[in-house]
Amino acid sequence: MSKLTEIRWHGRGGQGAVTSAEVMGLSAIEEGKFAQAFPSFGPERRGAPVLAFNRISDSEHIRMRSAVTQPDIVVVLDPGLLGIIDVTRGLKEGGVLIINSSKSLLDIKSEFEGPWTLAVVDATAIAMEVLKIPIVNTAMLGAMVKVTGVVKLESLAEPLGERFGKLAEKNIAACRRAYDEVSIAAQGAVSQRPEKTFGEVTWPSWQELLPGGVVTDAGNARSYRTGDWRSDRPIWDHDRCIKCGVCMLFCPEGCVEQNEQGYFEANYYYCKGCGICARECWTQAITMVEEAKA
Amino acid sequence: MKRVGLESSLAIAEAVRLAGVDVVSAYPITPQTHIIERIAQMVADGDLNASYIPVESEHSAMSGCLGAAAMGVRTFTATAGQGLELMHEVLPVASAMRLPVVMAICNRALSSPLSIWGDHSDIMAARDSGWVQMFAENGQQAFDLTLCAFRIAEDVEVLLPTAINIDGFHLSHVIESVLIPEQGEVDKFLPELPRPYVLDPRKPLTMGDFATPELYIEAKKSQDVALRNSKKVILQAWQEFEGVFGRRYSPVETYRADGASVLLLTMGSFSEVAMEAIDRLRESGEKVGLIRLRLWRPFPFEEFRQVASQADLLVVLDRAVSFGGPGPVCSEVQAALYPLSKKPQVAGFIGGLGGRDITTEGFEDMIRNARKKADAGRLGEVEIIGVRE
């Protein structure tokens, strides 16, 4: 059997993780390899954590169709996910972990060093400079190709051209910038894996389901932390705030509340970071700040 | 209890009235029309205190029943043929949501060619919808099983929609004598049962939720187990029915099957015709008997195996075609027999499609034909009988 490379992309709905996987798969096929690209199928919600996958084989049709649970390569498009999702879960020894972050390689190493090659690139900064929007998928592709060499940088050009049309040139530029700027740390000790704990979701057994799957705890959506979907958070500047409450009126989530001093603040358990409050604020008292930097 | 001459359709309407149904949501279609016309009349005349919803299609008829059943009230509808097909999308929703809707199906052939006449194509296409499904052979059974359907469907251990199948025209439009009980007797058999989960603004809950791959299969397992387990309650309900009314029903019923080396298997009103054929053959000394499959879902594996395994040859009549496959009943009984070490050979026939009669002679021929095929070792393929060549 020929070597199989399995890749897992972590992003948020709307950030282009699925596109990354598609372009990666098409590039590999372009090189004459066999490849798969697929999303984790599910309800689509902008901002919600999503997964996309690749399998790449040099010489064989790939029959495996289940989700990638023991990846060789993990790519994290959104630094905000690092605190809420175990991105290193199942990552093989000798694998590669590539993170989009404005933090230095040293800082990232202190958190994510393990028996794998660790790489960091400030893809958001590159995307903002080159594309003027914080969509980092093409930059992350460049970083990924540099660190792993699963395909050649040139092979990305045609699929990127097809996918982005008029915007292809800028996306290829973002891709190249990240290729040049990514910082890489050598593999850590095998015994060393990041010690992080994440809330495990538990599901009921079939015996525990009520007839017809009836849900009796009314209003349980209240416990759903939609704040996990947020990549930017609104911050209020009290010097500019006139306490008019427009932010509260426009918040589609109903999660902006007035505090005892009369100022408004978002309940970050629910705030999805949509930015409507910041856009509607008459006095520009609200700025959206990248979650990882807040 | 009094004996009256009544069309089977009207006997079902009478059962619905005596059951004190709260909501009827229905759309007329031949040959079911008499049932719901009569119910509409009862509601209009004040003989039945129910809401009658005259919907615009069968899809809406079943949707209306779902909503009403979710509120916890007794709910009934009836349909046939294409009507059941149009209703199809909602059928598995009713069972998955565990809503005890009761429905009479006047079994009718499916188009095309357009046929208003009877066969079992409609219910066989709805076989896997998760409903409790039973078959009546005469007007009395149509009445009795309708009453039983409410008792079964609404049992807290079941909570599943239940269908009573009566053959279109052959049963639906036949007037014969039927024993109709007094209201008091029906009330004794059919008390109002508590419903654990109903829509109530004071106690809000969610029904018919969304499930990701992490949950869906557990939901289906729970539903399948519920349908399988419903047999216990069905047996209990039929026992209670016998206690009150003196008539006994079983998932698998037989006729002169003791010591029979050849067994014929039928469902629905043709079973009584087949009994005539069995009598004639018995009189001429042949060891033949009849299996009448009363309960189609949940399939009564144990009871069926117990009865069928002793014979040498099982002759199965299907009144529906599974195009390119065996007859639906035949494939079911073959699957049920397969694990047994001692089992009969199976001869599958398809007949009585689109209202075509099968006479006693027809059944006699079928049994002779099956014997010949068995002797010649030619039982492999299903045969459509009574076809002009």
Side-chain angles (χ1 to χ4, degrees), chain B residues 36-105:
Chain B
I36 62 153
E37 271 179 0
R38 175 55 69 95
I39 293 172
Q41 191 70 52
M42 288 168 170
V43 173
D45 292 347
D47 294 331
L48 173 61
N49 182 21
S51 296
Y52 186 97
I53 311 172
V55 287
E56 80 281 11
S57 77
E58 285 83 358
H59 190 279
S60 302
M62 186 46 62
S63 301
C65 287
L66 250 67
M71 294 296 293
V73 300
R74 192 163 279 173
T75 310
F76 177 83
T77 190
T79 192
Q82 305 299 126
L84 188 64
E85 295 299 297
L86 182 50
M87 196 181 267
H88 196 103
E89 189 198 358
V90 197
L91 297 175
V93 182
S95 55
M97 288 176 69
R98 306 286 297 277
L99 298 173
V101 178
V102 169
M103 170 160 65
I105 305 170

Side-chain angles (χ1 to χ4, degrees), chain A residues 41 43 203-207 209-218, chain B residues 96-98 197 204-207 209 212 214-215 218-219 221-222 225:
Chain A
F41 310 99
W203 295 92
S205 69
W206 69 268
Q207 293 98 332
L209 292 177
L210 295 175
V214 160
V215 181
T216 51
D217 49 336
Chain B
M97 288 176 69
R98 306 286 297 277
Y197 306 107
L205 46 76
T206 303
M207 287 180 173
D209 208 354
T212 54
E214 289 86 352
L215 195 59
E218 279 73 19
K221 164 93 180 175
S222 143
V225 169

Side-chain angles (χ1 to χ4, degrees), chain B residues 269-325:
Chain B
S269 63
F270 282 23
S271 300
E272 295 203 335
V273 184
M275 287 181 202
E276 291 289 323
I278 297 296
D279 280 346
R280 288 196 200 176
L281 293 169
R282 278 278 184 180
E283 276 157 32
S284 62
E286 295 190 48
K287 283 191 195 163
V288 295
L290 180 67
I291 297 178
R292 303 128 67 204
L293 204 52
R294 163 101 37 239
L295 187 62
W296 175 233
R297 281 292 183 277
F299 190 84
F301 286 99
E302 279 170 59
E303 293 87 344
F304 169 73
R305 284 178 183 143
Q306 210 169 358
V307 171
S309 58
Q310 298 312 312
D312 299 323
L313 180 61
L314 179 65
V315 186
V316 181
L317 172 68
D318 260 295
R319 293 192 63 203
V321 190
S322 169
F323 297 96

Side-chain angles (χ1 to χ4, degrees), chain B residues 334-352:
Chain B
Q334 280 179 310
L337 292 171
Y338 188 77
L340 304 183
S341 51
K342 174 168 179 1
K343 52 181 173 270
Q345 289 189 290
V346 177
F349 294 101
I350 293 169

Side-chain angles (χ1 to χ4, degrees), chain A residues 204-230:
Chain A
S205 69
W206 69 268
Q207 293 98 332
E208 287 167 321
L209 292 177
L210 295 175
V214 160
V215 181
T216 51
D217 49 336
N220 66 3
R222 220 174 280 131
S223 64
Y224 189 21
R225 187 192 289 269
T226 50
D228 280 354
W229 305 9
R230 188 177 62 239

Side-chain angles (χ1 to χ4, degrees), chain A residues 124-143:
Chain A
T124 307
I126 294 171
M128 288 307 288
E129 267 180 53
V130 180
L131 306 169
K132 316 290 182 208
I133 45 165
I135 295 186
V136 299
N137 54 355
T138 46
M140 289 310 282
L141 271 168

